[in-house]
Amino acid sequence: MDYKKLADLLFPNITKTVSYYEETVFPKRDLKEGAVVTRLAPSPTGFIHLGNLYGAFVDERLAHQNGGIFMLRIEDTDDKRKVEGAIETIISSLEYFDLKFDEGVTVNGEIGHYGPYYQSHRAEIYQTVAKYLVEQGRAYPCFCTEEELSEVRKQQEAEKVTPGYYGKWAKDRDLTLEEIEKRLKNKESFVLRFKSMGSEEGRFEIEDAIRGTLSMPENFQDIVLLKSNGIPTYHFAHVVDDHLMRVTHVVRGEEWLSTLPIHYELFKTLGWELPIYCHTAHMMKIDNGVKRKLSKRKDPEMGLGYYMELGYFPAAVREYLLTILNSNFEEWRMANPDSNISEFKFSLNKMSISGALFDLNKLNDISKDVLVKIPVEEIYSFLLDWAKKYKQEIVSNLTEHKDSVIKLLSVGRDGAKPRKDLIYCEQIFDFIKYFFDEYFEIVDPYPQNIDEEEAKKLLKAYLETYDHNDDQTQWFEKIREIAEQNGYAAKPKDYKKNPDMYKGHVGDVSTVIRLAIVGRASSPDVWEIQQILGEKKVRERIKKAAM
Ligand code: GLU
């Protein structure tokens, strides 16, 4: 067979060569020794999930901790999956978590010399490589229809052999040039298939930077390189793009492991150096005591929108992700409590291979630790920006009472054991909303030993003696007096010694007061809160609860 002739027949308009692209258009990058080039390659489906973020974080750390490049390439070869606005969502979601690309697609066009960065704009490049493979006798057109393929499948099932297009089943592998010419003239539609040289029994070894040495079965299937519309499959586009974009590390989910033999054979056939593969583990969660994969359908926390809508702080999510990304991160954090996470040396061999366990409670705990270190002014402005986007109705509350909100957020944060009350914006607003009369409500019940009448009596006494200028000690002394005058122990330990002598203790009395002022049985220091609320509001709230 004259493969050159076949190549010209199939790709009459392709005049460039692979070496033209390799040498002139996409030459080797001029980066310092050891610099890593990574890419995030999402499909524009509009859904960007935690797994993407997890992988993107690996890409970003690998590239940026050593002067490399992190790029965004959009894998938009599947028209059916395209969603309007998806690319903006991808970029803004990653930006939210402070993942910044050096190259590739941006909201204002593309940057970098290795583009286009939309696969849909790279047709000529794929076809050039495809034409080369045809010339080498390693790719051929296949005219099989869906019906023919399903017929083959049925026969393979009956014979109990491996399904697929290979060996004797690869019907169009040996078409003559004349036959091909004839069918092209008839305008029969075809796909371009790879001619595999692998065998079903063969195996090869490959290093995965996360998983170590893998022994894998060879590819022996004549997989599709170009679909009938000339658009490449993932397998072909991955190999061509990652080679020509000079990507050094391919970080992708473990769902791609099973097709790695295809990519391996393609790289070898093209004589190209393989990138370093890094197959990340699935994100898992514990559900009713059972560990399972996080699911887009079942778990709202899988979508990145979840964190943005609730107003999680990017720094907290990043910190948490690092704890599940690298097993030695927490130890490092303990030794370096105030260092920036960029100082942590991220390494691929410290990553989990059995599944990255994602735990919302742990994220929330870490968030509390992270937020306690963020200055309140910064928390306030993040909260305000979040409200402008996701909770418009509270924007004026926050802006008109900026000083008070900042004070409310600050209560209990100083000192050796600061309170860790703040987690994410929605929760933060919930935590301080008692300040605003329209949101104030008493949500917790009075202590068991105090009924409505009794509570009113105590609150009346509180109102009578209330002096907004009392300092904290004077204020609490008065509560003790009220307690004693009404039959409550002034000290909890006295009550514990002789519970029969009292109705309760001073703590019960202050809970009643706390409920009247804050609406909840637990809160930061009530005296401090009263100072922020102001005398008028305090008196009104006590009066209301005492009536
Ligand atoms: N477009 C593929 C995906 O979204 C990319 C996989 C890869 O990173 O190579 O899963």
Side-chain angles (χ1 to χ4, degrees), residues 292-403:
R292 66 158 173 85
K293 258 204 262 177
L294 266 179
S295 128
K296 284 187 210 173
R297 208 167 30 83
K298 284 193 243 161
D299 306 309
E301 72 269 32
M302 185 68 169
L304 293 188
Y306 177 85
Y307 305 91
M308 294 155 77
E309 280 156 31
L310 288 176
Y312 273 90
F313 286 61
V317 178
R318 285 166 64 89
E319 180 92 9
Y320 175 59
L321 277 183
L322 265 180
T323 68
I324 50 174
L325 274 163
N326 258 191
S327 49
N328 56 333
F329 177 74
E330 281 180 278
E331 202 182 305
W332 174 86
R333 176 48 91 206
M334 265 193 282
N336 304 278
D338 297 317
S339 301
N340 189 299
I341 52 173
S342 59
E343 288 166 36
F344 170 72
K345 173 96 180 70
F346 173 80
S347 39
L348 288 165
N349 60 12
K350 295 264 173 13
M351 288 184 71
S352 158
I353 50 178
S354 61
L357 192 60
F358 184 81
D359 177 357
L360 264 183
N361 294 327
K362 177 108 193 250
L363 165 63
N364 289 344
D365 282 347
I366 286 189
S367 192
K368 289 179 188 172
D369 290 339
V370 169
L371 264 61
V372 106
K373 290 188 192 151
I374 301 180
V376 250
E377 289 72 18
E378 252 176 62
I379 295 189
Y380 171 82
S381 59
F382 188 82
L383 180 67
L384 182 59
D385 287 345
W386 167 81
K388 284 181 184 158
K389 218 159 160 203
Y390 297 104
K391 215 175 171 81
Q392 273 290 334
E393 69 274 21
I394 66 164
V395 169
S396 59
N397 295 15
L398 295 178
T399 49
E400 281 162 28
H401 301 279
K402 178 174 175 182
D403 292 345

Side-chain angles (χ1 to χ4, degrees), residues 466-470 527 530-535 538-539:
Y466 187 76
D467 183 341
H468 197 65
N469 297 320
D470 283 345
W527 179 82
Q530 291 180 148
Q531 296 304 308
I532 303 169
L533 286 170
E535 176 161 12
V538 174
R539 285 190 181 276

